[in-house]
């Protein structure tokens, strides 16, 4: 506002933050800077006498039970994490912030320095609840160099599309920049440093339940296949053009090496076709002079050698012959047992958990009616499971759909994942990105406010189920207005029967 209470419009053209205190690149000795690929989005960087690790997901699933590692990590991955001087975790998604991995690390070195961006939703919003004992998590502001030593510094930048959660990073050693855009849709709003020494980014696609988990209307198998092919091609062309525009000396596609390996997700695995990193690299080489690297677990790139001579046979050292590259078995049991334990929790003996949960979630005043159905692994109604309506206009739970005009969605969710999410107050990414739902909607409209709330905006403190279970007169004050049905007319328990 100006002095006369008028409005002035200013076009902002801020300087690029990485240009502050610029440094001229020094020559690198061979072996001075080495980048070793571990798996998915995890890189181990040797930067002089410092070591830095990106996004360690090295054991267990991501997104409940939907994603599993495609590559077999090097057998010394835990030792590598333990000797890191700093670890960067880009965002809260579990293929980057892996609590099973960090639990192993914390048992050996709980004080390892971890750095995250100052996102609206804290990256480690559920650290206390996780039981993982990490004592040195550092939240740093965006766009400011963080000095590690006289030669090494880094800067975290936000995503322009998802600034509330996604980040990317520039690491600079002796004036040589490494740009890691991770999963950012539009990193730093599209303003990025050009001619960096090394750039790495995601490439694969397929990190969404759409359209594989949708049915009805246009969502035929042919439509899905055509859509997926088109979207993957668009992503491939976008990444290739971005690399051409930024002109890094070397480019590496990563952060897309996951597989839907559990047998119950066979359909998703077959349908959710992902981009081939070699196809992207071939496209980049056709339209630019950028050197490309398709990483394999344990492979190491020597930045000094590659910058001096990209054809140097010692510039990239591949893992020893006979090294297992792709995983052929996964330890499903312990992780699925943890999810399954939530199914019989005392909370779900009482139908009033539904009102308690959605009241806690805090989404209302939006004209949308959702039918929630608990299912088995094949998305058939779970015997004894809940089947209920939620009207988000007034946050009521009607027995039938309201007579007014309203959009409608039907969400079938695997009961173990749904109840685990509810019990622990987790975000619905585990359901949606993890392929643990099947959805229908009428009309075919994406309700951004609804999904954004349940995927990003839920309270950071989980529901108080202890208070719910011991609160005075809970069946009356929580359950009397709740209308619901139970699949196959089987009671979940005495509490549910009483409220019914």
């Amino acid at each position: 506002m100006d002095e006369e209470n008028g409005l002035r419009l200013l076009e902002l053209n801020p300087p690029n933050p990485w240009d502050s205190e610029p440094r001229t690149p020094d020559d690198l000795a061979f072996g001075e800077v080495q980048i070793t690929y571990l798996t998915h989005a995890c890189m181990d960087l040797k930067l002089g006498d410092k070591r830095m690790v990106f996004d360690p997901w090295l054991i267990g699933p991501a997104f409940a039970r939907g994603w599993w590692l495609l590559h077999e990590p090097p057998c010394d991955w835990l030792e590598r994490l333990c000797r890191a001087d700093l670890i960067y975790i880009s965002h809260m998604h579990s293929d980057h912030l892996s609590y099973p991995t960090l639990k192993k690390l914390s048992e050996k070195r709980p004080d390892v320095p971890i750095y995250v961006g100052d996102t609206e939703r804290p990256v480690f919003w559920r650290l206390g609840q996780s039981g993982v004992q990490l004592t040195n998590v550092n939240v740093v502001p965006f766009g400011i160099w963080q000095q590690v030593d006289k030669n090494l510094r880094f800067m975290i930048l936000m995503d322009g599309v998802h600034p509330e959660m996604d980040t990317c990073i520039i690491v600079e050693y002796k004036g040589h920049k490494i740009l890691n855009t991770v999963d950012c849709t539009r990193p730093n709003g599209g303003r990025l440093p050009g001619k960096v020494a090394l750039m790495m980014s995601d490439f694969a696609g397929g990190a969404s339940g759409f359209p594989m988990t949708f049915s009805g209307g246009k969502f035929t198998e042919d439509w899905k296949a055509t859509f997926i092919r088109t979207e993957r091609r668009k992503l491939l062309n976008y990444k290739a053009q971005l690399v051409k525009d930024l002109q890094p000396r070397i480019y590496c596609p990563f952060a897309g090496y996951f597989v839907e390996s559990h047998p119950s997700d066979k359909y998703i695995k077959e349908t959710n076709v992902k981009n081939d990193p070699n196809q992207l690299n071939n496209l980049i080489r056709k339209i630019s002079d950028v050197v490309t690297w398709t990483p394999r677990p344990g492979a190491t790139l020597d930045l000094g050698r590659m910058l001096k001579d990209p054809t140097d046979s010692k510039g990239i050292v591949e893992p020893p012959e006979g090294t297992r590259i792709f995983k052929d078995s996964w330890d499903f049991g312990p992780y699925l047992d943890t999810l399954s334990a939530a199914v019989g929790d005392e909370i779900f003996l009482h139908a009033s958990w539904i009102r308690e949960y959605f009241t806690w979630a805090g989404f209302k005043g939006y004209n949308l009616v959702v039918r929630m159905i608990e299912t088995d692994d094949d998305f058939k109604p779970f015997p004894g499971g809940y089947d209920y309506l939620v009207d988000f206009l007034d946050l009521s739970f009607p027995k039938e759909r309201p007579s007014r005009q309203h959009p409608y969605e039907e969400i079938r969710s695997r009961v173990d994942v749904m109840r685990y999410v509810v019990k622990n107050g987790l975000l619905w990414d585990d359901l949606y990105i993890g392929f643990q739902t099947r959805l229908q909607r009428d009309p075919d409209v994406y309700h951004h406010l609804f999904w954004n709330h349940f995927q990003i905006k839920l309270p950071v403190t989980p529901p108080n189920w202890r208070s719910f279970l011991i609160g005075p007169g809970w069946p009356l004050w929580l359950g009397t207005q709740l209308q619901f049905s139970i699949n196959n007319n089987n009671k979940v328990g005495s509490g549910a029967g009483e409220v019914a």
Side-chain angles (χ1 to χ4, degrees):
M1 308 296 291
D2 63 20
E3 297 81 3
E4 299 177 357
N5 211 32
L7 185 66
R8 299 176 64 195
L9 300 180
L10 302 177
E11 182 177 8
L12 300 179
N13 188 25
N16 294 321
W18 53 86
D19 289 334
S20 65
E21 303 175 36
R23 296 178 178 177
T24 302
D26 294 336
D27 289 339
L28 296 177
F30 293 169
E32 187 174 4
V33 176
Q34 295 180 322
I35 297 94
T36 301
Y37 170 72
L38 302 186
T39 187
H40 190 57
C42 185
M43 290 282 192
D44 178 14
L45 287 71
K46 176 183 177 293
L47 303 151
D49 61 358
K50 299 294 185 189
R51 287 190 172 270
M52 184 175 190
V53 173
F54 295 155
D55 286 335
W57 170 34
L58 294 148
I59 56 169
F63 300 109
R65 47 179 280 193
W67 294 29
W68 302 82
L69 289 167
L70 176 68
H71 288 149
E72 185 69 45
C75 59
D76 66 343
W77 66 262
L78 184 54
E79 288 74 15
R80 289 175 177 270
L81 296 191
C82 288
R83 66 174 180 252
D85 294 287
L86 60 159
I87 293 175
Y88 162 68
I89 294 181
S90 59
H91 61 294
M92 62 186 177
H93 281 164
S94 51
D95 59 321
H96 300 263
L97 170 54
S98 167
Y99 279 108
T101 302
L102 294 180
K103 186 174 188 299
K104 290 286 187 185
L105 172 60
S106 68
E107 290 167 356
K108 287 182 172 287
R109 195 180 164 202
D111 63 342
V112 61
I114 296 177
Y115 291 86
V116 298
D118 189 12
T119 47
E120 177 186 338
R121 189 177 189 95
V123 175
F124 276 96
W125 66 275
R126 59 178 295 256
L127 178 61
Q129 183 189 354
S130 72
V132 175
Q133 302 296 319
L134 292 171
T135 61
N136 197 358
V137 176
N138 303 272
V139 180
V140 301
F142 292 116
I144 297 176
W145 284 117
Q146 307 296 317
Q147 201 72 39
V148 180
D149 62 22
K150 66 177 183 177
N151 295 319
L152 175 62
R153 59 184 181 173
F154 69 91
M155 175 184 293
I156 298 178
L157 303 169
M158 70 170 64
D159 183 30
V161 174
H162 296 291
E164 69 282 349
M165 60 165 283
D166 258 343
T167 74
C168 57
I169 191 170
I170 302 169
V171 177
E172 186 180 84
Y173 178 81
K174 288 189 174 180
H176 298 274
K177 292 183 177 68
I178 296 172
L179 171 64
N180 176 8
T181 65
V182 207
D183 286 356
C184 288
T185 305
R186 190 167 171 77
N188 198 46
R191 297 178 61 144
L192 294 168
K195 301 186 184 302
V196 300
L198 171 64
M199 174 183 174
M200 54 189 80
S201 78
D202 66 338
F203 71 95
S208 168
F210 186 87
M212 293 79 64
T213 60
F214 285 71
S215 62
K218 70 183 181 186
F219 294 106
T220 63
E221 295 307 309
D222 286 343
W223 186 93
K224 291 181 188 179
T226 300
F227 178 89
I228 291 169
R229 277 197 308 272
T230 302
E231 290 301 303
R232 300 297 180 268
R233 191 180 311 115
K234 284 164 58 178
L235 177 61
L236 212 65
N237 290 332
Y238 165 71
K239 293 295 181 181
Q241 187 61 48
L242 181 63
V243 172
K244 180 183 178 183
D245 292 343
L246 293 177
Q247 286 293 303
R249 295 284 302 277
I250 306 163
Y251 171 75
C252 172
F254 82 149
Y257 301 108
F258 70 93
V259 63
E260 306 86 346
S261 60
H262 192 272
S264 65
D265 289 323
K266 181 173 181 287
Y267 167 77
I268 298 293
K269 181 180 179 181
E270 294 173 348
T271 308
N272 189 24
V273 180
K274 304 170 191 70
N275 284 329
D276 181 342
N278 290 309
Q279 185 181 2
L280 173 57
N281 283 343
N282 290 337
L283 179 57
I284 289 170
R285 290 195 296 270
K286 283 182 181 179
I287 63 175
S288 74
D289 296 325
V290 175
V291 175
T292 62
W293 175 35
T294 301
R296 303 201 305 163
T300 298
L301 181 144
D302 186 321
L303 193 60
R305 286 184 179 275
M306 292 296 288
L307 293 179
K308 185 174 182 179
D309 178 7
T311 65
D312 187 336
S313 61
K314 297 180 180 178
I316 297 174
V317 177
E318 295 292 347
E321 187 174 348
T323 299
R324 184 150 57 114
I325 302 301
F326 297 99
K327 291 184 75 69
D328 55 16
S329 64
W330 296 263
D331 190 13
F332 297 129
Y335 304 102
L336 268 63
D337 288 347
T338 298
L339 297 172
S340 298
V343 175
D345 195 280
E346 185 182 359
I347 298 163
F348 304 105
L349 297 177
H350 314 296
S352 47
W353 73 262
I354 299 169
R355 179 181 298 279
E356 179 79 3
Y357 174 74
F358 286 99
T359 301
W360 164 84
F363 183 75
K364 64 183 296 188
Y366 185 78
N367 186 26
L368 175 66
V369 176
V370 176
R371 182 182 178 188
M372 303 289 298
I373 304 172
E374 294 185 327
T375 74
D376 60 17
D377 273 8
D378 297 321
F379 297 99
K380 300 293 194 302
F382 179 70
Y386 288 94
D387 179 340
Y388 55 93
L389 293 169
V390 185
D391 186 342
F392 287 102
L393 188 60
D394 58 359
L395 199 58
S396 61
F397 304 88
K399 192 172 184 178
E400 298 177 347
R401 289 175 59 177
S403 58
R404 72 170 194 280
Q405 194 170 25
H406 61 273
Y408 173 77
E409 291 205 17
E410 180 180 292
I411 303 176
R412 294 174 174 259
S413 305
R414 285 174 172 158
V415 64
D416 58 342
V417 180
M418 186 69 208
R419 293 193 182 184
Y420 186 79
V421 165
V422 166
K423 177 184 175 182
N424 294 287
L426 303 182
L427 300 171
W428 283 24
D429 283 336
D430 283 346
L431 295 164
Y432 185 69
I433 301 179
F435 316 117
Q436 301 302 303
T437 62
R438 294 296 182 266
L439 301 101
Q440 291 184 319
R441 59 192 186 191
D442 181 24
D444 179 24
V445 172
Y446 174 62
H447 294 279
H448 170 76
L449 289 178
F450 169 75
W451 284 105
N452 191 61
H453 185 90
F454 281 91
Q455 288 183 278
I456 295 176
K457 303 285 190 182
L458 288 177
V460 295
T461 303
N464 189 343
W465 294 117
R466 179 182 297 273
S467 174
F468 165 76
L469 289 172
I470 66 175
W474 67 263
L476 296 175
W477 69 273
L478 285 173
T480 52
Q481 298 179 42
L482 179 63
Q483 301 290 336
F484 68 96
S485 64
I486 302 177
N487 296 327
N488 295 347
N489 297 314
N490 292 328
K491 292 182 179 181
V492 174
S494 60
E498 289 165 9
V499 177

